[in-house]
Amino acid sequence: MDLDAYTAAHRDEWSRLDALGRRRTFSGAEADELIDRYQSGATDLSAISTSVGSSVAGDRLSVSLSRARLRFTGASSNVLSQIPAFFQLQLPAALYRLRWIVLVVALATVVVSTLFAVWALNDPQVLANFGTDAELRQVAQHDFVDYYSNNPAASFTGQVWTNNAWLAAQCVAFGLVGVYVPYLLLQNAQNIGVDAAVLFHYGQGDVFFQYILPHGMLELTAIFVAAAAGLRIFWAWIAPGARTRGQALADDGRALFTVAVGLVFVLLVSGVLEGFVTPQPWPWPVKIAIGAVAVGAFVFYMVFVGGRAFRAGQTGDLAEFDAGARQLVAV
């Protein structure tokens, strides 16, 4: 091959390919032209590499091809521009797919917590296993309330946010194990039941709800969502359907990674409520109302916004979202 002659013969085509590869928006005809010139350019590069090996002309054409490929494979030049679509489509759709599992997990936690609290209240020996009378009285009358105000609000918010985000991440990451998520849920339900039993035993039942509900409604809902995500990953492995187990895990794993990212923000809000609202000396109906509004907004986002996104074709799958959100736009 005469490389100089070959380059001269195709220079205009390669220049056009390079020009199209630098554009951000395309008409329908330009999008078709980009793909056609990419295919032609790839053939030219193959011919050059086969005949003469590495060359300046081939390297330049390779760069142009790479730039063009990014235009129709979806690599974005501005990741921040995708944030609105993430919160409007991908995240709510992924949450919506978990709605029934979340409900089952929530009901199971409430039932187990209630049964454990009733058992402990009706059997003094059970309560005695958690401390002496003096120790439990100290918890009921001082420690339970003081826990929310012993540290500066900002520091306490960061602490509980980190702890809860780590717990949620464990639910998603280790869901495949199968037993880990039920173990965490049982442990959490037991802790709630024990706290309730201790406070009710010493006549502080109203304090339990006043200090748990403002932040706990949103915080527990977020943990339930994380648990549901982990259980779904486990079920994808147990019953993949028509897919292979690897495909099922990959598909659901991408969508549920979206959930894990979203829960970081939800748990930040619950942490703010726990650090700045729960310990405040405000009337308890006000604090509980704030928590109810927060969890109500999240449920609305998951069910109604998520349902709309899901019916529009979103599933929360990262790959599917990227392909849809980053495709060439005809203008």
Side-chain angles (χ1 to χ4, degrees):
M1 172 188 288
D2 186 337
L3 182 58
D4 291 338
Y6 193 83
T7 300
H10 294 85
R11 181 177 290 113
D12 291 343
E13 299 172 12
W14 298 347
S15 296
R16 178 59 176 166
L17 171 65
D18 188 73
L20 288 171
R22 295 177 184 276
R23 301 193 60 173
R24 293 293 180 269
T25 59
F26 301 84
S27 65
E30 288 171 337
D32 291 339
E33 182 184 5
L34 174 64
I35 295 175
D36 289 339
R37 291 195 178 278
Y38 174 83
Q39 293 173 336
S40 177
T43 300
D44 294 339
L45 179 60
S46 177
I48 293 173
S49 300
T50 301
S51 300
V52 301
S54 178
S55 65
V56 174
D59 291 343
R60 289 176 178 172
L61 178 56
S62 178
V63 171
S64 297
L65 286 169
S66 297
R67 185 179 294 116
R69 184 167 58 250
L70 294 178
R71 300 283 76 78
F72 59 81
T73 56
S76 174
S77 60
N78 184 4
V79 175
L80 294 179
S81 67
Q82 298 173 43
I83 292 178
F86 175 84
F87 287 104
Q88 293 170 15
L89 297 172
Q90 185 183 6
L91 176 59
L95 291 171
Y96 181 78
R97 294 175 62 193
L98 298 172
R99 64 197 186 283
W100 296 118
I101 308 177
V102 172
L103 180 60
V104 171
V105 169
L107 291 176
T109 300
V110 171
V111 169
V112 172
S113 297
T114 302
L115 291 176
F116 203 90
V118 171
W119 176 42
L121 278 172
N122 288 278
D123 189 342
Q125 188 59 44
V126 175
L127 278 182
N129 290 329
F130 296 101
T132 65
D133 180 73
E135 291 171 339
L136 296 180
R137 187 180 298 276
Q138 174 69 21
V139 170
Q141 297 180 352
H142 300 284
D143 293 350
F144 183 81
V145 172
D146 293 345
Y147 167 76
Y148 298 98
S149 56
N150 283 335
N151 297 296
S155 175
F156 182 64
T157 295
Q159 178 184 346
V160 297
W161 178 34
T162 302
N163 180 70
N164 290 330
W166 171 238
L167 179 61
Q170 289 181 71
C171 287
V172 177
F174 300 113
L176 181 61
V177 178
V179 298
Y180 192 73
V181 171
Y183 166 74
L184 287 180
L185 289 174
L186 180 61
Q187 188 178 57
N188 192 50
Q190 177 182 334
N191 290 337
I192 294 173
V194 169
D195 286 342
V198 170
L199 268 73
F200 270 89
H201 181 74
Y202 291 97
Q204 300 292 313
D206 57 338
V207 174
F208 172 78
F209 289 112
Q210 291 170 18
Y211 278 80
I212 284 291
L213 292 180
H215 66 275
M217 288 186 286
L218 181 60
E219 177 181 284
L220 288 173
T221 301
I223 297 301
F224 297 155
V225 170
L231 292 173
R232 187 177 182 106
I233 290 177
F234 176 66
W235 190 248
W237 181 68
I238 293 296
R243 303 171 295 178
T244 66
R245 283 188 168 83
Q247 290 173 331
L249 290 174
D251 292 345
D252 286 347
R254 286 192 298 265
L256 299 179
F257 177 77
T258 301
V259 172
V261 173
L263 289 180
V264 171
F265 298 97
V266 178
L267 290 170
L268 173 60
V269 175
S270 73
V272 170
L273 292 177
E274 189 167 356
F276 291 90
V277 174
T278 297
Q280 297 300 323
W282 301 339
W284 65 265
V286 173
K287 296 193 290 185
I288 293 178
I290 293 173
V293 169
V295 73
F298 179 63
V299 171
F300 177 86
Y301 179 75
M302 178 171 63
V303 175
F304 292 96
V305 179
R308 183 177 60 186
F310 184 79
R311 288 187 292 272
Q314 286 291 324
T315 65
D317 188 305
L318 285 170
E320 178 182 279
F321 173 76
D322 289 343
R326 298 174 177 179
Q327 62 183 329
L328 294 175
V329 180
V331 294

